[in-house]
Amino acid sequence: MSVEAVTLAFGGVKALAGVGFDVKPGTITAVIGPNGAGKTSLFNTISGFYRPSQGAIRFRGEDITALPAPQRAKLGLARSFQNIALFRGMTVLDNIKLGRHAHLRTNVFDALGYFGRASREEAELRRDIEERIIDFLEIDHIRHASVATLPYGLQKRVEMARALAMQPKILMLDEPVAGMNREETEDMARFILDVRAEWGVTVLMVEHDMGMVMDLSDHVVVLNFGQVIARGTPAAVQNDPEVITAYLGAGDVGELRKKLRGGAVLEPNA
Amino acid sequence: MIDWAYLFEVSLTGIASGGLYALAGLAFVLVYKATRVVNLAIGEMLMVGAYLFFTFAALFALPIWLAIPLAVLGCGLLGALIERTMIRPLLGEPPISAFMVTVGLASILVGIVEIIWSADQRRLPEFLPSTPVMIGDAFIAPKVAWGAGVAVVLIGFVLVLFRYWRGGVALRATASDQGAAYAMGINVPRVFSIAWVASAMIAAVAGIIVGAIGGISSSMGVFGLSVLVVVMVGGLDSVLGALVAGLFIGWVEAVAGTFLGGEYKLLATFLVLVVVLMIRPYGLFGTHEIERL
Amino acid sequence: MRIGTLKESYVADAALFDSVTQKRMLAAGAALLVLFPFIANDYWLYLACLVAINIVSATGLNILTGYTGLVSLGQAAFMGLGAYTVAILETRLGTHFLINLWAGGAVAMLGGIIVGIPSLRVKGLYLAITTIAASFIAHFLFANFEFTGRTGGLSLPPARTFGIFLDTSFRLYWMIVPITVLMVIGAANLFRTRIGRAFIAIRDRDISAEVLGIPLLRYKLLSFAVSSFYAGVAGGLWAYFFRVVTPESFPLVMSIFFLAAIIVGGMGTILGGILGAIFMTMVPELLKLIFDILPGGREMTVFLSPVRTVVFGLLIVGFLVFEPLGLAEVWRRIRRFFHLWPFRN
């Protein structure tokens, strides 16, 4: 996928200005930046919730800038949300099944009658989800639970499951480990790596946990005030003076670098 | 050839009755601003105020200067009761619940009024001056004119209150984010109560005036539908909007009713609603609700 | 005691009725439905037919408002569309009642789709007002055209099938109840498939639903379409049952009645639509009974109407405050209790 010179303006405020970067298939790309840098706006633009005022988004060679959101989902653009967007009126299983919506073919008449195409499709879907997703994410014990009753960490996992059900070519994760403890973060990191390895899915994620970003990603894009201020491998970005300034504030870069060498992990500026 | 003098006269009457719409609209907006609840029973609360006044003034033969405040206070009490028993328990629920509760409330109020006072139409004792009011050559029915006067004074008072009293800010705070308002030390339940009590009292005043003009009956509540149109045109959470829209719709109804015919009143108001909502979907002065993903 | 519910296949897990007890109760219920008309008197048959018609309409409204979250106060207007269509077809063409009912549903469905078109931009309260406006427009149409009989309305001959006239409650029972059962099952099936899930997603978080692949306008219109189809069929059955259709037959208060029915029964559950319709239809009858039994009650019949109004309002408020999930939730609690009976907790 490639994002080309995307500009997103709300009235006079530019949430994104000339943002451009490439995402190579099969890689894990992280988008980082201080709060308010425009990361979620970027995701929303790629998903199709916002229309950029300038620029284009290409996916597997196709220009999808004008494509409505549901169609992007059908092409294989899956995502999870920063503040969990599970459907509280449904069980875990139903939420996951919903992910497959765009790829199913049951129409309303099949649905009313149920026996026949609808039941076959549902059975097929259920088997596929159970074997590939529920097993994979280890959530079989809660499959019939109502999502509203689940703890935060499990909800995030269900969100991931739903995104996987979308048969994604590219998986966009918005802060997948926000609010998780060390153990949960490691679990999630493992899942992400497994997803890439077993499913061949490209991953694009917004994340604040620098440890995770540095360990997992092949490529990092740094945003600040709606602009790309750096991109490259994790190591390169970590040493980029602009990035350090953005996160830790202005000051002597050499001094800051020395502080960093002391072993501190990059944390976003409060 | 348009008879300008006649148009002027009709317009004045329309604007004056629009003042009552504005007053009732104010009561509605007050509750919406503070609690985000769409009170469909506003017309029925108006009715209760009118009937209370009727009871005190006609049945108990109390003097007018006593009957009016009693009726208003009584209605205020009702507002507090409603808030406590029906609205507060639904705090976290989706907005349709509170909406439906007010629908249920409307039914309850109509039924109770019919049981206690029967469904017959009644007249209220006269208490407004009956000298005709003339503006230039134009004549306005005295009750309508005085009613409008009271309405304007009350609305002005509330507008000023909102501007300069910190309670106004508290009211707006609780509407947008209850949790944050609590954290700021605002006594949220008390704000809710105050909003409903004030709204009920204002509705009572409007009800007394409407009753004085056209008599009271158990179907008075249908006034509420016009009020709903007024607040939608003006903006659900805008006091100024209620005023402007109320006057405007009052004028539209009077002109349409006189020059086109009575059946066209409803059509005209609906048309205004549709046109306004197309240009400004949240009403003339309403705040746009932004949805975040 | 709920035991022996181990499922050995995914298909079994997805079944609507899954335990032996449930299947037994279902069979008993079906048997009761079949035997009922032979043991009940005319009054009860009349009530049963009325309840069935209300169940169809309430289920339709539940699909739109309970499951998809689109508040509608136009259910009565759509019923009116169906009723008038059936009346016109029956009086002018004399076509078979099944065809007429289908047509009634289809016309109402068209109306529903038209009303639903603004639903993408117009939400919540404003959509509800739009449906109210639709009610008024429908009333205007019914009252002002020659072929709908103007304010006098239309009266229609009884439905006919195989030469038998369906003009008694007994016979109408056999027309109405099977249709009701089929439509309720259809609705239940809807929510085992992606269509139903899409509806619920729209209710819970419509913006996210779109990003996940659900085209909002198409599905909102679909919800309106299905729901008003149900209303149209209910209206058609109503026409065959009462045999007179006038512009005042489907007032706004009827729409409020159905909204109250699904709130009391439980929004967003099929059982809720059924229980709510039964309950709300029976309550006025119950009140009449109480007034008859109570000493001095006969003289108070003038109070019957306002008391009914108050009780109606109290039911809505009461359920919303104390039992927002409706009678369906009460039923679920009873069931849960019996899952472990005779062992407690």
Side-chain angles (χ1 to χ4, degrees), chain C residues 327-339:
Chain C
L327 290 169
E329 178 62 19
V330 174
W331 174 249
R332 252 178 265 143
R333 276 209 288 264
I334 297 177
R335 274 187 62 195
R336 275 199 290 265
F337 176 77
F338 281 106
H339 278 177

Side-chain angles (χ1 to χ4, degrees), chain A residues 238-265:
Chain A
Q238 200 170 30
N239 290 322
D240 187 312
E242 291 253 2
V243 175
I244 298 177
T245 316
Y247 270 101
L248 299 177
D252 184 48
V253 174
E255 275 299 303
L256 295 172
R257 211 177 256 142
K258 255 194 270 175
K259 261 199 227 158
L260 274 184
R261 292 272 156 71
V265 175

Side-chain angles (χ1 to χ4, degrees), chain A residues 97-134:
Chain A
K97 284 186 184 175
L98 188 97
R100 191 59 66 83
H101 181 97
H103 301 285
L104 293 174
R105 309 244 309 283
T106 312
N107 64 34
V108 67
F109 299 106
D110 298 325
L112 287 169
Y114 196 71
F115 296 104
R117 182 196 292 191
S119 76
R120 278 197 301 270
E121 204 171 54
E122 287 295 310
E124 174 79 39
L125 175 63
R126 175 77 189 266
R127 195 165 2 108
D128 189 56
I129 290 179
E130 289 280 349
E131 289 165 9
R132 298 188 70 206
I133 300 177
I134 293 187

